[in-house]
């Protein structure tokens, strides 16, 4: 096959390639390749020195084999040898092989560098270009170190050839991206900017890429590029297409360069200089005008190139966001594209318009295209175009069109592609919440979502509707009625059962007056779904049932019957079984008062960022929620939860909810099932003594000493005297924690009016009985003093009161962080301000055992880092303290001195009080 | 920035691949398979841009050959789309009517052309004559 290979056809290579092409199977191909590899290997190893041509031929074959997807593990040396050849073709193959196959940490780099150095010094432009391409392609640090100083010089040297300048510009770009520290700014920077004025368009094209990258990091150094770029752009845009050397592509002058210049300008705000700005606006207008002119060619290439510039121009206009006139023109232009027959244009127009929608100047103009966009959502054949249409609808949504957009998106959801359903669900949920004028519309929308695309409604969505219904009492009755109706459908989605179960359990009483939805009807409706549901839903329904017993005493007997049934009490699932047992006992043991307290309506949820929005952002990356974050467009927007306030706690921790379960610790067959794992066993009731002594007891116990015991552990006995024992069990994750307090009555007499903290746990604690309290803790910001727990009760007529520090210290919110020695020291150095460090030297109070120390440090919450400190005796740890408001990075180092029985502890954190506090807390532990 | 430049035939065989960011060789094969799969599954009514993982694919089909360019979000889709065509026209001029067979037999030449046009993930030269200049010198040298 002679004709196909041009130039100095390497006959052997052509034959080999034909062989490969003729292989009928993968096996045959591999066989042929292995044969060839063996041949090349023997040639390379042979005694006879190969001439340049054969070396080139074999290296070329290896390259071809590599490109077919086979790994190559030899031949590198031969390729490096080719670099020093004087023949261009041999050198070129050598560089090609190295660019494609040598990775940046190869041992051959030094040899390669040597060859490159020679070529750079050769003053032969073709050789110089090859060498520069190679540096740009490999771009390793070692190469950077060798050449970073030379390349700027070559780039701005007056006598460098154009093609060398081009290569040098992009080579420098690569080195700067890989290791910016190797490329110091200097007097060459000003001259680089002037390359924008270079006569040669290719040099300008390359230079713009370099400048765009450099100016992002050093915007001030490169400010002069704005006016140069504008004048260059203006010369291209306005000139007749003939005088642009050969950079005109189908009658469009230098399309790629124009696009790049427009991109560069997007790195800066609008030009301050009025003349420059005027010239630029003129350019932008010219581009918009040209779009309306009849095309100079019917060829699609012509319009494609023209449109590439047009889209980039519109991007720049949107970026400036300051010229209402241009923004509206841009919007109209995109509006034309929305109905263009080319799918590519429709796609790009939708995408571009999406950003246009967030500008206050063009938002209204974008809204006028709503019907076209809705039509696109319905009729486009390409899913990616439909997705863009959905994005645009989401972006252009505001109070005036929310109902229309939401209903269109709901309709689309019925036929939407599976891949984008979840996203559409999230968007509908967010829009419905954001622009809800009346909450019944919101509830309807979410229930419709569940009905249409239940599988794609994530937890966040239905949690949110529950939060909103709980927090807004004006919608509760409507919500109860609507879910009740929705549940009557013969087949309804499990998420509907969840929402229905929760809402009826809380607010079913609001519709109980209607005989069609009387309590027994509500119950049997829910229970008819029970058997079809998953464990989680059943567990939720069981809670609904116990709430029903409180709301509707008339259903008690029926529900107790359900709970008592073997399928519940002996359910294989622990959670269901526990709920059934507990609820059954609760309903039979507790008085109506207790029941009413325990099963009180849920308190309003604290306000925080909508979890749905957070999820959408996660899905789409930053900026996806922009339409919603953009509050400036709609300052009056009242969030649906506007009325509900956060916990507003004055302290630095908030107790979100305080629920309790009444536990009987008298020996009973079910005791083990109650999750009483860590409860301290009730001690034998001692003889009672006078009340006066008790109070002394409480305070002589030194709560501080006890609290320090909990710094490194989470479970134990917090307090104990003759009357009462308080056990604690806690768990922490990030900035949240949950603490179980177990109050054990050690006497045989009932405590009355028992009230720890502000919330009554239980009115009485029977002799020998135990009450459990659950505290949910959220760390809002760093704090020094732990929260206080005050417990009051009456024992034998005498009031008792005690105040304890809860074992919550800042280190509980530690997240351990693993890092390598290098990172550790780098961060250590970053925290070098004197106030960021706290240090303490102290005597050991306990035997100095490395294992115990390790356990304590781990218990403290930080990660222990091995192989960081050069002295293996020392301990080094790192972690992040998570609070709602901020995160505090902490590094610690503990140096034991066994001889002196002393320790030195050093803490460095980004916050001064935290360093000191942690240091004090931890120092007490050794 | 351009992340990679691929020429793949309808059978899914890679004819040319050029990466502007280091990718392990075993991952390349996997990536190329996925890329060609997502291009082949599209009809001519669909647009030429595909969101793919964290970047965008821009592709054009020439007979049985797909040219696929992976870019990040700093590139202008239309400009890249037309750049592919410019590349093909350059090949066409050099080989006087390019067919996919020629690309296989002249892989080194195609690489040179691509290197002249794209360096380091940036478009560096778009003028046909200048792109081909080094190659023509090369051919002259080997003929003489």
């Amino acid at each position: 096959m002679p004709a196909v290979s041009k130039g100095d056809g390497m006959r052997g290579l052509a034959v080999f390639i034909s062989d490969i092409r003729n292989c009928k199977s993968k096996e045959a191909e591999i066989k042929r390749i292995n044969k060839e590899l063996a041949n090349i290997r023997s040639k390379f190893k042979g005694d006879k020195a190969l001439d340049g041509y054969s070396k080139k031929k074999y290296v070329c074959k290896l390259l071809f084999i590599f490109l077919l997807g086979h790994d190559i593990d030899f031949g590198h040396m031969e390729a490096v040898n080719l670099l020093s050849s004087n023949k261009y073709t041999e050198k070129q193959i050598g560089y090609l092989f190295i660019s494609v196959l040598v990775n940046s940490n190869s041992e051959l780099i030094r040899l390669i560098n040597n060859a490159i150095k020679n070529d750079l010094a050769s003053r032969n432009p073709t050789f110089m270009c090859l060498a520069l391409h190679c540096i740009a392609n490999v771009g390793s640090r070692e190469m950077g170190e060798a050449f970073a100083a030379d390349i700027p010089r070559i780039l701005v040297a007056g006598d460098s050839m154009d093609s060398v300048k081009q290569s040098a510009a992009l080579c420098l770009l690569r080195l700067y991206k890989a290791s910016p520290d190797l490329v110091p700014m200097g007097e060459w920077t000003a001259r680089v900017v002037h390359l924008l004025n270079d006569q040669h368009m290719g040099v300008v094209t390359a230079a713009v890429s370099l400048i765009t990258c450099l100016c992002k990091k050093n915007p001030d150094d490169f400010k002069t590029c704005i006016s140069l770029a504008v004048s260059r752009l203006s010369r291209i845009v306005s000139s007749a297409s003939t005088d642009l050397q050969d950079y005109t592509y189908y009658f469009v002058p230098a399309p790629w360069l124009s696009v790049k210049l427009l991109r560069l300008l997007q790195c800066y705000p609008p030009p301050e200089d009025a003349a420059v700005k005027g010239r630029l606006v003129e350019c932008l207008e010219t581009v918009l005008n040209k779009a309306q002119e009849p095309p100079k060619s019917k060829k699609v290439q012509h319009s494609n190139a023209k449109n590439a510039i047009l889209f980039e121009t519109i991007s720049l206009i949107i970026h400036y966001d300051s010229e209402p006139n241009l923004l509206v023109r841009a919007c109209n232009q995109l509006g034309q594209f929305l109905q263009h027959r080319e799918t590519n244009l429709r796609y790009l127009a939708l995408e571009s318009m999406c950003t246009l929608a967030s500008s206050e100047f063009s938002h209204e103009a974008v809204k006028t295209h709503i019907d076209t966009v809705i039509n696109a959502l319905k009729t486009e054949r390409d899913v990616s175009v439909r997705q863009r249409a959905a994005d645009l609808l989401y972006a252009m949504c505001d109070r005036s069109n929310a109902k229309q957009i939401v209903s269109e998106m709901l309709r689309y959801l019925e036929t939407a592609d599976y891949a984008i359903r979840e996203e559409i669900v999230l968007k509908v949920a967010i829009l419905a919440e954001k622009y809800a004028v009346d909450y019944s519309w919101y509830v309807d929308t979410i229930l419709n979502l569940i009905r249409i695309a239940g599988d794609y409604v994530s937890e966040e969505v239905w949690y949110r509707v529950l939060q909103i219904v709980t927090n807004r009492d004006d919608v509760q009755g409507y919500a109860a009625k609507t879910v009740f109706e929705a549940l009557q459908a013969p087949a309804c989605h499990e998420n509907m059962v969840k929402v229905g179960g929760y809402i009826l359990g809380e607010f079913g009483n609001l519709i109980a007056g209607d005989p069609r939805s009387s309590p027994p009807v509500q119950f049997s409706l829910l229970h008819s779904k029970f058997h079809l549901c998953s464990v989680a839903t059943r567990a939720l329904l069981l809670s609904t049932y116990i709430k029903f017993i409180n709301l509707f005493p008339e259903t008690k007997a029926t529900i107790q019957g359900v709970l008592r049934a073997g399928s519940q009490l002996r359910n294989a699932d622990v959670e269901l079984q526990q709920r059934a047992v507990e609820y059954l006992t609760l309903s039979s043991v507790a008085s109506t008062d207790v029941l009413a307290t325990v099963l009180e309506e849920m308190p309003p949820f604290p306000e925080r960022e909508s979890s749905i929005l957070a999820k959408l952002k996660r899905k789409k990356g930053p900026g996806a929620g922009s339409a919603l974050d953009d509050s400036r467009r709609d300052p009056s927007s009242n969030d649906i939860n506007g009325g509900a306030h956060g916990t507003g706690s004055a302290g630095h921790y908030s107790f979100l909810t305080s629920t309790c379960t009444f536990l009987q610790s008298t020996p009973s067959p079910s005791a083990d099932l109650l999750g009483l794992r860590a409860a301290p066993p009730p001690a034998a009731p001692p003889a009672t003594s006078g009340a006066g002594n008790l109070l002394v007891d409480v305070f002589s116990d030194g709560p501080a000493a006890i609290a320090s015991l909990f710094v490194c552990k989470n479970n134990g006995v917090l307090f104990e005297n003759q009357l009462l024992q308080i056990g604690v069990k806690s768990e922490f994750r990030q900035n949240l924690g949950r603490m179980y307090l177990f109050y054990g009555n050690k006497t045989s007499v009932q405590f009355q009016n028992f009230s720890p903290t502000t919330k009554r746990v239980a009115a009485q604690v029977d002799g020998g009985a135990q009450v459990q309290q659950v505290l949910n803790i959220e760390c809002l910001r760093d704090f020094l003093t732990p929260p206080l727990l005050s417990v009051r009760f009456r024992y034998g007529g005498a009031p008792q009161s005690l105040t304890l520090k809860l074992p919550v210290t800042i280190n509980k919110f530690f997240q351990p962080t693993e890092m390598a020695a290098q990172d550790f020291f780098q961060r250590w150095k970053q925290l070098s301000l004197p106030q960021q460090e706290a240090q303490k030297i102290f005597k050991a109070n306990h035997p100095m055992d490395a294992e115990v120390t390790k356990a304590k440090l781990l218990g403290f919450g930080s990660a222990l880092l091995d192989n960081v400190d050069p002295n293996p005796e020392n301990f080094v740890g790192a972690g992040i303290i998570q609070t709602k408001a901020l995160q505090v990075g902490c590094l610690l180092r503990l140096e034991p001195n066994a001889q002196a029985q002393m320790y030195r502890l050093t803490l460095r954190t980004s916050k001064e009080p935290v360093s000191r506090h942690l240091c004090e807390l931890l120092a007490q532990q050794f | 920035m351009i992340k990679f430049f691929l020429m793949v035939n309808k059978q899914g065989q890679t004819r040319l691949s050029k990466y502007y960011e280091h990718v392990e060789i075993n991952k390349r094969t996997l990536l190329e398979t996925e890329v060609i799969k997502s291009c082949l599954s599209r009809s001519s009514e669909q647009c030429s841009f595909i969101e793919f993982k964290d970047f965008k694919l821009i592709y054009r089909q020439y007979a049985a050959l797909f040219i696929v360019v992976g870019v990040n979000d700093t590139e202008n889709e239309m400009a890249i789309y037309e750049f592919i065509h410019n590349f093909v026209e350059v090949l066409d001029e050099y080989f006087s009517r390019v067919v996919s067979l020629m690309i296989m037999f002249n892989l080194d030449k195609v690489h040179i052309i691509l290197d002249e046009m794209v360096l380091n993930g940036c478009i560096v030269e778009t003028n046909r004559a200048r792109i081909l200049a080094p190659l023509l010198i090369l051919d002259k040298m080997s003929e003489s």
Side-chain angles (χ1 to χ4, degrees):
Chain A
M1 233 179 270
V4 282
S5 186
K6 265 192 89 137
D8 63 333
M10 288 174 277
R11 186 111 186 96
L13 182 64
V15 170
F16 173 60
I17 295 174
S18 311
D19 283 0
I20 295 287
R21 278 185 55 86
N22 293 335
C23 284
K24 293 277 181 287
S25 67
K26 195 80 193 160
E27 288 73 32
E29 185 184 306
I30 290 173
K31 211 172 147 203
R32 178 69 185 88
I33 283 170
N34 283 337
K35 187 179 153 208
E36 194 60 39
L37 285 175
N39 172 36
I40 299 172
R41 217 186 282 265
S42 73
K43 284 283 193 305
F44 282 166
K45 280 205 181 131
D47 314 325
K48 219 173 78 193
L50 292 172
D51 60 1
Y53 170 79
S54 327
K55 247 187 235 165
K56 180 183 96 170
K57 186 175 74 183
Y58 294 129
V59 168
C60 212
K61 277 185 185 172
L62 287 179
L63 190 61
F64 183 79
I65 293 171
F66 176 80
L67 292 172
L68 285 176
H70 302 265
D71 210 355
I72 297 293
D73 55 0
F74 69 103
H76 299 72
M77 199 57 212
E78 283 72 17
V80 173
N81 286 340
L82 285 177
L83 297 186
S84 43
S85 160
N86 279 330
K87 285 212 177 101
Y88 178 80
T89 51
E90 288 166 19
K91 201 187 269 291
Q92 190 258 333
I93 291 290
Y95 274 122
L96 186 58
F97 185 90
I98 283 160
S99 302
V100 177
L101 261 118
V102 173
N103 56 25
S104 41
N105 43 21
S106 161
E107 301 148 16
L108 294 168
I109 288 287
R110 202 156 319 148
L111 289 171
I112 299 170
N113 278 358
N114 216 14
I116 291 177
K117 189 166 274 165
N118 290 336
D119 282 335
L120 284 185
S122 70
R123 310 194 61 77
N124 173 334
T126 28
F127 287 5
M128 285 173 91
C129 282
L130 282 178
L132 288 168
H133 282 207
C134 182
I135 301 174
N137 278 326
V138 178
S140 69
R141 182 148 187 105
E142 214 176 337
M143 247 183 209
E145 279 165 1
F147 302 108
D150 298 331
I151 295 167
R153 203 174 33 73
I154 297 174
L155 175 61
V156 296
D159 58 347
S160 289
M161 296 275 292
D162 294 334
S163 57
V164 175
K165 280 191 199 164
Q166 268 174 296
S167 306
L170 287 160
C171 185
L172 196 58
L173 171 61
R174 171 63 190 255
L175 292 184
Y176 183 77
K177 272 189 189 159
S179 19
D181 54 308
L182 290 180
V183 186
M185 297 298 119
E187 49 96 30
W188 59 272
T189 40
R191 301 177 63 182
V192 165
V193 174
H194 279 275
L195 289 178
L196 289 177
N197 256 339
D198 201 283
Q199 287 194 328
H200 188 275
M201 302 279 271
V203 175
V204 187
T205 310
V208 180
S209 289
L210 175 64
I211 295 168
T212 308
C213 176
L214 291 173
C215 78
K216 276 184 189 145
K217 299 254 171 67
N218 328 282
D220 289 331
D221 292 352
F222 287 89
K223 244 186 164 155
T224 42
C225 75
I226 303 175
S227 61
L228 289 170
V230 169
S231 63
R232 189 88 213 195
L233 183 69
S234 140
R235 267 179 283 158
I236 296 172
V237 170
S238 59
S239 74
S241 50
T242 45
D243 56 329
L244 276 160
Q245 301 156 21
D246 293 320
Y247 285 84
T248 300
Y249 180 84
Y250 287 93
F251 304 101
V252 182
W256 292 282
L257 179 56
S258 310
V259 166
K260 278 186 169 192
L261 288 167
L262 288 161
R263 276 262 154 166
L264 171 62
L265 290 171
Q266 287 172 54
C267 298
Y268 287 97
E272 287 152 16
D273 184 296
V276 176
K277 191 172 180 188
R279 201 161 176 199
L280 178 58
V281 169
E282 210 174 286
C283 280
L284 302 178
E285 279 172 345
T286 313
V287 174
L288 289 172
N289 291 341
K290 277 191 182 169
Q292 299 300 327
E293 289 166 10
K296 290 196 181 107
S297 154
K298 285 228 164 64
K299 285 255 168 63
V300 66
Q301 287 84 353
H302 170 74
S303 58
N304 281 344
K306 215 163 99 175
N307 290 332
I309 301 174
L310 183 57
F311 278 113
E312 207 57 57
T313 303
I314 292 175
S315 290
L316 183 63
I317 293 172
I318 296 171
H319 168 78
Y320 285 162
D321 196 12
S322 60
E323 299 284 332
N325 173 32
L326 288 177
L327 280 161
V328 170
R329 282 192 69 184
C331 184
N332 294 341
Q333 181 60 54
L334 293 177
Q336 289 181 15
F337 284 153
L338 286 182
Q339 314 207 35
H340 203 279
R341 64 193 158 77
E342 281 243 4
T343 316
N344 288 340
L345 288 180
R346 294 198 303 272
Y347 173 92
L348 293 173
L350 287 166
E351 188 179 60
S352 199
M353 214 179 234
C354 211
T355 46
L356 208 50
S358 56
S359 160
E360 55 181 317
F361 300 115
S362 50
H363 182 71
E364 288 303 316
V366 170
K367 272 166 62 186
T368 57
H369 299 287
I370 184 166
D371 293 328
T372 320
V373 182
I374 287 174
N375 196 38
L377 191 64
K378 287 179 183 159
T379 55
E380 279 293 345
R381 300 204 186 170
D382 182 350
V383 56
S384 33
V385 183
R386 286 198 298 271
Q387 179 148 17
R388 287 288 92 78
D391 284 350
L392 177 53
L393 281 180
Y394 176 74
M396 68 162 73
C397 189
D398 64 13
R399 194 145 300 182
S400 70
N401 55 20
K403 284 202 172 165
Q404 185 188 7
I405 286 179
V406 165
S407 76
E408 288 299 340
M409 282 172 101
L410 273 175
R411 194 168 309 149
Y412 170 57
L413 195 55
E414 291 180 39
T415 53
D417 309 76
Y418 297 111
I420 61 170
R421 279 197 186 183
E422 189 184 357
E423 202 187 311
I424 301 265
V425 167
L426 290 175
K427 285 186 167 154
V428 170
I430 291 168
L431 292 179
E433 176 182 339
K434 170 106 175 156
Y435 298 114
V437 186
D438 60 300
Y439 293 92
S440 47
W441 175 70
Y442 169 74
V443 171
D444 285 342
T445 305
I446 301 294
L447 293 185
N448 266 331
L449 274 183
I450 298 178
R451 204 175 294 134
I452 296 169
D455 283 342
Y456 299 89
V457 172
S458 55
E459 279 180 350
E460 285 86 350
V461 174
W462 66 265
Y463 285 178
R464 190 74 186 155
V465 70
L466 295 181
Q467 283 178 10
I468 286 169
V469 170
T470 308
N471 289 3
R472 307 280 318 190
D473 41 17
D474 51 340
V475 73
Q476 288 161 357
Y478 180 80
K481 183 167 154 281
T482 324
V483 286
F484 179 78
E485 281 161 9
L487 282 174
Q488 279 169 330
C492 63
H493 195 271
E494 195 166 332
N495 280 336
M496 188 69 89
V497 180
K498 286 181 183 161
V499 174
Y502 190 97
I503 289 182
L504 291 181
E506 294 290 321
F507 312 111
N509 54 333
L510 300 176
I511 55 167
D514 189 329
R516 283 167 300 176
S517 53
S518 68
V521 178
Q522 286 185 36
F523 172 74
S524 57
L525 180 62
L526 281 177
H527 200 55
S528 67
K529 317 279 182 198
F530 187 88
H531 304 282
L532 303 169
C533 292
S534 68
V535 168
T537 311
R538 288 194 207 182
L540 187 151
L541 285 178
L542 287 180
S543 297
T544 304
Y545 296 169
I546 186 74
K547 291 232 164 190
F548 270 8
I549 294 186
N550 178 42
L551 287 179
F552 317 120
E554 67 265 38
T555 58
K556 181 169 173 176
T558 329
I559 291 174
Q560 280 183 331
V562 170
L563 293 174
R564 204 176 285 120
S567 57
Q568 309 306 337
L569 273 190
R570 280 187 290 281
N571 196 299
D573 186 87
V574 172
E575 178 65 33
L576 289 181
Q577 194 183 56
Q578 180 171 350
R579 284 195 192 211
V581 171
E582 280 183 20
Y583 292 157
L584 184 59
T585 318
L586 180 61
S587 69
S588 35
V589 176
S591 65
T592 10
D593 279 358
V594 174
L595 212 55
T597 314
V598 174
L599 301 171
E600 212 179 354
E601 191 179 296
M602 289 298 280
F605 288 88
E607 190 40 47
R608 52 188 101 158
E609 186 192 25
S610 161
S611 48
I612 315 178
L613 200 53
K615 176 157 181 155
L616 186 68
K617 280 184 191 157
R618 273 205 303 283
K619 260 183 96 71
K620 294 285 279 183
S626 59
L628 279 175
D629 297 336
D630 188 354
S631 49
R632 100 196 133 144
R633 201 177 74 223
D634 196 2
S636 64
S637 87
N638 77 338
D639 208 327
I640 201 153
N641 276 328
H645 289 293
T647 43
S649 116
H652 295 157
Y653 17 75
S654 62
F655 298 107
L656 298 179
T657 52
S658 177
T659 52
C660 64
T661 321
F662 196 88
L663 300 173
Q664 203 82 32
S665 74
T666 41
S668 82
S670 62
D672 284 339
L673 299 173
L674 296 177
L676 248 180
R677 288 173 295 273
T688 51
S689 52
N693 292 346
L694 283 170
L695 283 172
V696 177
D697 272 357
V698 168
F699 289 109
S700 64
D701 237 357
I706 289 200
S708 90
L709 286 179
F710 282 91
V711 169
C712 294
K713 59 178 193 169
N714 288 332
N715 306 331
V717 177
L718 181 65
F719 172 81
E720 181 160 19
N721 65 11
Q722 290 107 315
L723 298 180
L724 177 71
Q725 186 193 47
I726 305 178
V728 64
K729 188 176 168 244
S730 51
E731 55 201 28
F732 294 90
R733 261 191 79 193
Q734 298 189 327
N735 70 330
L736 300 176
R738 178 170 295 159
M739 181 174 287
Y740 301 86
L741 291 171
F742 303 91
Y743 302 92
N745 182 346
K746 293 172 32 170
T747 70
S748 51
V749 188
Q750 196 179 60
F751 293 159
Q752 282 136 5
N753 293 336
F754 187 80
S755 59
T757 33
T758 51
K759 189 97 178 172
R760 277 159 60 112
V761 167
Q764 297 95 27
V765 181
D766 287 335
Q770 203 186 35
V771 180
Q772 183 189 347
Q773 182 186 22
V774 184
L775 301 177
N776 285 317
I777 301 163
E778 182 176 14
C779 181
L780 301 178
R781 46 166 304 154
D782 54 305
F783 61 94
L784 301 180
T785 48
L788 296 180
L789 170 75
S790 68
V791 183
R792 282 166 217 283
F793 57 94
R794 287 176 85 83
Y795 166 64
Q800 308 283 334
S801 105
L802 52 110
T803 305
L804 298 169
K805 284 185 179 172
L806 278 180
V808 180
T809 42
I810 183 83
N811 65 297
K812 298 291 180 196
F813 304 100
F814 240 129
Q815 288 276 111
T817 319
E818 294 291 344
M819 57 178 84
Q822 198 191 346
D823 297 334
F824 181 86
F825 286 116
Q826 195 189 350
R827 281 173 212 204
W828 184 265
K829 278 190 209 120
Q830 281 166 358
L831 297 171
S832 57
L833 294 177
Q835 63 268 30
Q836 289 175 327
E837 181 178 288
Q839 195 173 63
K840 220 172 174 167
I841 301 174
F842 54 93
K843 216 164 175 57
N845 287 324
H846 301 282
M848 295 175 82
D849 178 325
E851 286 309 310
V852 174
T853 308
K854 230 182 231 176
K856 279 182 179 167
L857 285 172
L858 287 173
F860 191 66
S862 74
L864 267 185
L865 306 176
D866 294 328
N867 304 326
V868 170
D869 202 304
N871 179 351
E873 301 287 302
N874 293 347
F875 299 93
V876 167
I880 296 168
I881 291 188
Q882 305 270 1
T883 75
K884 193 180 176 207
L886 74 171
Q887 299 190 332
V888 185
C890 306
L891 302 173
L892 70 88
R893 186 180 197 203
L894 179 70
E895 298 157 276
N897 181 338
Q899 273 184 327
Q901 288 290 302
M902 298 282 280
Y903 287 101
R904 181 163 71 185
L905 174 66
T906 316
L907 256 296
R908 283 190 179 185
T909 76
S910 44
K911 255 195 133 207
E912 178 196 358
V914 177
S915 300
R916 264 188 287 121
H917 186 54
L918 284 176
C919 191
E920 272 158 31
L921 281 176
L922 191 57
Q924 297 161 4
Q925 302 298 317
F926 299 102
Chain B
M1 180 193 162
I2 298 178
K3 303 256 182 191
F4 56 78
F5 195 104
L6 293 179
M7 295 173 89
V8 193
N9 67 14
K10 263 192 168 170
Q11 289 78 48
Q13 291 165 304
T14 306
R15 285 292 171 242
L16 176 137
S17 70
K18 180 94 188 169
Y19 288 82
Y20 299 96
E21 255 180 6
H22 186 72
V23 181
E24 297 293 329
I25 178 149
N26 48 357
K27 290 196 182 140
R28 287 183 189 192
T29 326
L30 203 71
L31 178 86
E32 285 161 21
T33 319
E34 279 180 57
V35 165
I36 187 67
K37 224 191 253 166
S38 44
C39 293
L40 278 173
S41 63
R42 294 171 77 83
S43 68
S44 55
E45 279 164 351
Q46 296 187 281
C47 70
S48 319
F49 320 117
I50 312 174
E51 273 164 58
F52 185 84
K53 295 180 183 164
D54 54 343
F55 47 88
K56 236 178 210 171
L57 301 178
I58 298 166
Y59 72 96
R60 274 184 104 138
Q61 188 179 357
Y62 292 93
L65 194 70
F66 282 89
I67 299 183
V68 191
V69 184
V71 297
N72 67 5
D73 56 7
T74 62
E75 288 293 340
N76 178 316
E77 288 97 343
M78 211 44 160
I80 297 290
Y81 180 74
E82 207 45 42
F83 179 76
I84 297 176
H85 188 73
N86 194 14
F87 172 71
V88 172
E89 287 194 356
V90 173
L91 292 185
D92 223 29
E93 177 165 328
Y94 180 70
F95 294 110
S96 30
R97 279 205 62 74
V98 63
V99 292
S100 101
L101 203 64
M102 281 179 177
I103 293 165
M104 277 195 84
F105 281 97
N106 297 285
L107 209 52
D108 52 337
K109 304 277 162 55
V110 180
H111 266 276
I112 295 176
I113 292 177
L114 189 57
D115 274 352
E116 288 296 323
M117 297 182 73
V118 182
L119 195 52
N120 219 332
C122 301
I123 296 178
V124 56
E125 185 59 82
T126 56
N127 175 337
R128 230 173 281 169
R130 300 191 56 90
I131 294 166
L132 292 177
L135 262 186
L136 298 176
I137 299 174
L138 197 71
D139 292 343
K140 229 175 243 159
M141 275 166 44
S142 53
E143 271 160 29
S144 59

